[in-house]
Amino acid sequence: MEKALLQTNPQFIDLNSKPMHETSMQNDELIQELSRMKWENKKLNELLTVVCRNYHDFAKKDCAEELFASRKRKSDQLENSGHIFHSCCGECSPGRPREIKSNTSRVHVRIDPSDTSLIVKDGYQWRKYGQKVTRDNPSPRAYYKCSHSPTCPVKKKVQRSAGDASLLVAIYEGQHNHRPSSGEVPATPLRSPVGQQPAANIDPAICRRIENEESEIDQQVLVEQMASSLTRNHSFTAALVAAITGRILDDGSEENDDSFSISRVLSE
DNA sequence: CGGATTTGACCGGCGC
DNA sequence: GCGCCGGTCAAATCCG
């Protein structure tokens, strides 16, 4: 992995193959390299901020579109967005919802349009308990419960997008009280509208955490989940090696800098 | 044979 | 109160 990274990114130093003092890089070159890495770390932080913001905006926009598609049950759905629907004018305004379901999230998955199954592989084990055709969408909606543990309260609804048959919309309710089942490949949720490239494999639970700003965030668990998801990405793991290399070179001179030099890899 | 899926019936909330 | 609709139940069926 490191070798592949070095091939594509020759600017990274291979500490495994050469001791530090034997590298051909001069001190001024090292200083320039460190400056470049710090600049990339800053860019990465900005990139992650934009990704989170884009995902959040998209989820809100998509929710609003579905609300206008169906005038009924608006109050139920708006519980999730924290808005109150005014039936007189058909518009939403901020207000105090009757009941806030704080653990609802939405994940979009690109599938083959010819694939009629309503299956979203997200690393968890689900049992289907119902299927309905809803008014605002000709395609049926499937209802699933988490079957990994009888005490797990998580449910999900899966339905094709009304506007795009190649897009599956999975709505998750609740939070898992266990880890994902092993050996399953998580689906690739889309961080942006139709037609754009999907982001790296991100566990839906993480998307839910990002989207749901009002829920309490268990920072430690979140970090563990993000690490678990990101390490499935080969580009990320390769960049991580480079980042660690950079940290070693940094010799502790930069305190509280927890970001990584991966913007170059992510941009490829 | 046991677990998963299917599918019609039923329930409860909401609008009129 | 009635009808519509989304969500859930549970018996029947399927499948490994």
Side-chain angles (χ1 to χ4, degrees), chain A residues 16 25 29 93 145 155 193 217 228 233 236 250 264 268:
Chain A
N16 293 328
M25 194 173 280
E29 290 176 322
S93 67
K145 288 178 181 176
K155 296 176 185 176
I217 295 179
S228 174
N233 185 320
F236 175 80
D250 216 358
R264 181 178 304 273
E268 291 176 357

Side-chain angles (χ1 to χ4, degrees), chain A residues 191-211:
Chain A
R191 61 169 169 81
S192 52
V194 179
Q196 297 186 17
Q197 291 300 314
N201 287 346
I202 301 174
D203 192 299
I206 298 170
C207 296
R208 174 164 53 252
R209 300 279 183 125
I210 294 171
E211 174 186 359

Side-chain angles (χ1 to χ4, degrees), chain A residues 138-210:
Chain A
S139 64
R141 174 184 293 172
Y143 299 88
Y144 296 91
K145 288 178 181 176
C146 181
S147 63
H148 181 275
S149 166
T151 61
C152 183
V154 179
K155 296 176 185 176
K156 77 170 177 180
K157 294 175 283 188
V158 180
Q159 188 173 30
R160 285 177 183 267
S161 171
D164 187 349
S166 66
L167 198 62
L168 274 185
V169 181
I171 299 172
Y172 293 81
E173 293 178 6
Q175 287 188 329
H176 293 280
N177 54 16
H178 57 87
R179 292 182 174 277
S181 305
S182 61
E184 292 188 39
V185 179
T188 303
L190 302 178
R191 61 169 169 81
S192 52
V194 179
Q196 297 186 17
Q197 291 300 314
N201 287 346
I202 301 174
D203 192 299
I206 298 170
C207 296
R208 174 164 53 252
R209 300 279 183 125
I210 294 171

Side-chain angles (χ1 to χ4, degrees), chain A residues 220-231:
Chain A
Q220 186 60 37
V221 174
L222 177 59
V223 168
E224 288 177 5
Q225 289 182 347
M226 290 188 76
S228 174
S229 292
L230 288 172
T231 50

